Amino acid sequence: MNEIAIQNKTVREIAGQHTDSYKIFHKYGIDFCCGGKRLLSDVCEEKGIEISEIANDFVALEKTPSDQKDWNTETLENLINHIVDTHHQYLQDDLPRLFHLIQKVASRHGERDAHLYKVLEIFVSMANELLAHIEKEERVLFPMIVEMEKTGDISTQILMPILAMEAEHEEVGKALEELDRLTESYAIKPNMCASYQALYVGLKQLEEDLKLHIHKENNILFPQVQQ
Ligand SMILES: [Fe+2]
Ligand SMILES: [Fe+2]
């Protein structure tokens, strides 16, 4: 993808064409999962990034073998199974673990580090929303998409749940931003005990997995359904 190829595209369009593109957006701090509907040129201007630099990175990326599957060439059902088995399962396993950890760390160190109470509050609300969210995807939206792919019958009824899921992704994005701010991007400090450090490592992993998860839904799965 050269400079001309990315000039007038939205972040979402570029992200959807290349599964690995999230690595480049991540490097430049560009929101590729929830704020992906903006033109890349606008985002670059706002952040003071030269679009030619990003274009060069894309050229280099296209030459390197990918460690990700090209989900654009897979069936939607395969992509959905992958999302459920990998990213939804990760949330089912890790949210309860992180909840116990954050409760423990906040009760021990909250007096000294008051931001931990706020981290706990945001985490609990985000975790509850996420568990309800993935249930809606698995029970309602994903079966509709699989059925649509099998029968070829495209119903406009599918657009409403997609919009609803996208709106919920945006809320998750806001919560992640707030957690990132409160924890100074999960910076480990020398006076942190082992649990405190494990919490920050776990929350950072959660952020990374959620961004990749939402990228696959917002930028690859949903646009293919809408096409
Ligand atoms: Fe999901
Ligand atoms: Fe989702």
Side-chain angles (χ1 to χ4, degrees):
M1 249 186 283
N2 58 28
E3 197 173 331
I4 302 161
I6 59 175
Q7 194 79 51
N8 291 312
K9 286 206 165 86
T10 61
V11 173
R12 169 177 287 198
E13 284 168 326
I14 300 163
Q17 277 173 16
H18 212 297
T19 314
D20 272 340
S21 59
Y22 75 94
K23 292 177 184 165
I24 295 178
F25 292 134
H26 195 71
K27 172 179 161 189
Y28 291 96
I30 295 173
D31 180 3
F32 58 88
C33 70
C34 303
K37 285 182 177 168
R38 301 180 62 200
L39 284 176
L40 180 64
S41 50
D42 289 348
V43 179
C44 284
E45 204 182 302
E46 190 185 288
K47 287 184 164 276
I49 304 166
E50 287 293 331
I51 202 159
S52 57
E53 268 184 56
I54 297 189
N56 287 342
D57 280 3
F58 269 106
V59 173
L61 185 79
E62 279 162 1
K63 287 181 187 154
T64 346
S66 175
D67 54 1
Q68 299 276 336
K69 229 186 184 126
D70 180 5
W71 290 108
N72 283 305
T73 60
E74 291 287 323
T75 62
L76 299 181
E77 188 173 14
N78 281 352
L79 173 54
I80 284 173
N81 288 339
H82 160 77
I83 289 172
V84 172
D85 294 345
T86 311
H87 300 292
H88 288 196
Q89 191 57 50
Y90 167 78
L91 292 174
Q92 304 270 18
D93 295 340
D94 229 43
L95 290 176
R97 182 186 76 87
L98 285 171
F99 173 61
H100 290 300
L101 196 53
I102 196 167
Q103 267 188 321
K104 185 168 134 188
V105 174
S107 72
R108 278 197 201 156
H109 305 289
E111 228 164 277
R112 186 190 70 198
D113 294 345
H115 74 280
L116 287 169
Y117 296 128
K118 192 75 193 156
V119 170
L120 173 65
E121 185 190 313
I122 295 170
F123 176 86
V124 168
S125 136
M126 182 178 81
N128 285 329
E129 277 167 26
L130 274 169
L131 291 173
H133 175 87
I134 61 175
E135 194 180 334
K136 280 181 255 177
E137 287 180 338
E138 289 178 26
R139 285 187 180 214
V140 184
L141 180 58
F142 289 174
M144 279 172 95
I145 295 175
V146 171
E147 186 63 18
M148 184 202 85
E149 186 175 46
K150 273 190 193 136
T151 60
D153 288 340
I154 299 146
S155 156
T156 49
Q157 272 181 4
I158 211 159
L159 296 177
M160 283 307 286
I162 286 182
L163 286 175
M165 293 304 105
E166 283 181 341
E168 291 183 8
H169 291 163
E170 225 158 284
E171 290 306 309
V172 174
K174 283 182 200 158
L176 287 176
E177 243 171 61
E178 190 58 12
L179 288 174
D180 194 87
R181 191 187 64 77
L182 285 166
T183 60
E184 296 168 41
S185 300
Y186 309 105
I188 306 276
K189 295 185 180 149
N191 62 349
M192 288 176 170
C193 69
S195 301
Y196 204 153
Q197 292 190 20
L199 172 67
Y200 272 31
V201 170
L203 286 175
K204 194 172 167 56
Q205 271 169 2
L206 175 69
E207 180 190 278
E208 282 166 10
D209 196 83
L210 272 171
K211 283 191 171 167
L212 190 54
H213 173 181
I214 295 175
H215 161 59
K216 286 173 188 168
E217 291 175 358
N218 273 9
N219 301 333
I220 303 171
L221 179 65
F222 297 165
Q224 287 208 30
V225 174
Q226 284 158 325
Q227 268 168 26

